[in-house]
Amino acid sequence: MSAIILESVLTCPHCGHAQQETMPTDACQFYYECLNCKTLLRPQAGHCCVFCSFGSVPCPPIQQQQRGCC
């Protein structure tokens, strides 16, 4: 079984800026301010957090669900 990935690259849908961030393991992150254009990102409908909507890797709780553990 592979380890949970804690790093994800968030890409702003407004300006295309990409930034690597560390995901929280104990909560979903609902808001993220783009460091380039200052747009406040929120999860898309049906997603639990900004990492699931705009990240290169889904958040740790979703990774755990996809692996069938916990």
Side-chain angles (χ1 to χ4, degrees), residues 21-43:
E21 297 289 347
T22 301
M23 296 182 280
T25 57
D26 59 346
C28 290
Q29 186 167 337
F30 296 107
Y31 303 105
Y32 178 80
E33 184 178 323
C34 174
L35 299 177
N36 185 54
C37 71
K38 306 301 182 196
T39 296
L40 185 63
L41 304 181
R42 295 184 178 109

Side-chain angles (χ1 to χ4, degrees), residues 25-26 42 57 66-67 70:
T25 57
D26 59 346
R42 295 184 178 109
V57 177
Q66 290 174 345
R67 292 183 179 144
C70 309

